[in-house]
Amino acid sequence: MIQSSELILNPDGSVYHLNLKPENIAHDIIFVGDQNRVEKITQFFDSIEFSTQKREFKTQTGIFKGKRITVMSTGIGPDNIDIVINELDALVNIDLETKTPKEKLTSLNIIRIGTSGSLQADIPVDSFVMSKFGLGLDNMLRSYLIDEVSNPEMEDAFVKHTNWDVRKGKPYVIACSAKLEKMIESDKMHKGITATAGGFYGPQGRVLRLNIQDEALNSKMDNFSFGDNQITNLEMETAAIYGLSALLGHNALSLNAIIANRASGTFSEDPYKAVDELIAYTLEKIALG
């Protein structure tokens, strides 16, 4: 039995942060960062059966072309992903009344739809990126036993290439779900490695009034490659989603609409259009999946 201090429930029996019960979620889940983006997706649904919000975690579940789908905002950063995925897993794989793990594993399909900046000049604004791998620079996942799901060869190559300072912890690399990659991929998608930072400013190389540990890190990442994979973009959630999903037995895929190109210094003239096109494309693929 899991102790009440470890799996915290609200008085109504819902999981603590998400405020959800098992019947409130579908097995196909779309993650967005911004709570205001939830309804940008569910506006396309035929019907909405459930809606709730607690803090930055907004959830709506409904039907799109016969497929039951949940859309959820996770907020920003790997720490929020730790909350969201652990509590979603509890909803389907732990009996909340007895607080004991279920014998049969239920695997969720989790697809993140986000926005990001590209690190490569040949990945222009308004294009789409599918994260073949998540490269975690944040160190959150190192709290877990990740050796069974990580890619130590790519990790070591990245550490060597960037002369990574081990005082920041060792980066980790996790692959996307092959099942979801096959379901979603198209000629429109660029593929590569998505770097996941633990913050927006210093951890992504931005300098305001504080100096940063490695001013050259972004340029080092620009020219890092492993096999046929380059680092395509930099954001704050993907590697954590991939790692926790893989450890817990769920399928995960991260898609990004590229609204800025850090290499060329350009920004999309209509970032909302790019995001809307990615949403429409993804919903159709889920409905057919």
Side-chain angles (χ1 to χ4, degrees), residues 40-90:
K40 288 184 180 297
I41 296 177
T42 60
Q43 66 176 323
F44 298 107
F45 283 16
D46 302 312
S47 62
I48 296 174
E49 66 182 61
F50 175 81
S51 183
T52 192
Q53 181 169 0
K54 184 177 181 182
R55 304 185 186 185
E56 62 267 54
F57 307 116
K58 181 172 184 174
T59 303
Q60 290 191 331
T61 297
I63 304 296
F64 176 79
K65 294 189 175 181
K67 176 77 77 169
R68 190 168 185 253
I69 301 173
T70 292
V71 183
M72 174 182 296
S73 61
T74 64
I76 299 174
D79 51 344
N80 274 12
I81 296 302
D82 184 57
I83 290 171
V84 170
I85 292 189
N86 273 293
E87 292 193 4
L88 282 175
D89 179 75

Side-chain angles (χ1 to χ4, degrees), residues 53-186:
Q53 181 169 0
K54 184 177 181 182
R55 304 185 186 185
E56 62 267 54
F57 307 116
K58 181 172 184 174
T59 303
Q60 290 191 331
T61 297
I63 304 296
F64 176 79
K65 294 189 175 181
K67 176 77 77 169
R68 190 168 185 253
I69 301 173
T70 292
V71 183
M72 174 182 296
S73 61
T74 64
I76 299 174
D79 51 344
N80 274 12
I81 296 302
D82 184 57
I83 290 171
V84 170
I85 292 189
N86 273 293
E87 292 193 4
L88 282 175
D89 179 75
L91 289 172
V92 296
N93 287 314
I94 296 175
D95 185 318
L96 299 186
E97 292 187 4
T98 63
K99 292 194 174 180
T100 55
K102 297 178 180 179
E103 290 185 8
K104 183 179 179 181
L105 174 73
T106 295
S107 295
L108 301 171
N109 296 319
I110 298 168
I111 298 177
R112 178 179 185 270
I113 297 179
T115 56
S116 183
S118 168
L119 296 181
Q120 303 295 335
D122 62 350
I123 301 178
V125 295
D126 302 326
S127 62
F128 302 156
V129 164
M130 175 186 289
S131 306
K132 181 82 172 175
F133 296 94
L135 166 64
L137 310 178
D138 57 283
N139 213 39
M140 184 278 289
L141 208 67
R142 291 288 178 190
S143 296
Y144 299 95
L145 303 174
I146 66 171
D147 289 350
E148 64 185 86
V149 299
S150 64
N151 186 322
E153 293 83 8
M154 193 183 300
E155 293 165 1
D156 291 343
F158 179 79
V159 167
K160 181 178 180 180
H161 177 82
T162 58
N163 192 26
W164 185 263
D165 189 332
V166 295
R167 290 176 297 178
K168 296 191 292 186
K170 186 179 180 181
Y172 58 91
V173 175
I174 315 288
C176 70
S177 160
K179 171 189 170 182
L180 294 184
E181 177 186 7
K182 184 177 179 180
M183 184 178 84
I184 298 293
E185 68 180 348
S186 79

Side-chain angles (χ1 to χ4, degrees), residues 4 7 13 27 29 32 42 59 87 95 113 144 147 153 171 195 200 224 236-237 246-247 261:
S4 296
L7 176 57
H27 288 178
I29 300 176
V32 294
T42 60
T59 303
E87 292 193 4
D95 185 318
I113 297 179
Y144 299 95
D147 289 350
E153 293 83 8
F200 184 76
F224 173 74
M236 296 179 62
E237 289 82 28
L247 287 169
N261 187 293

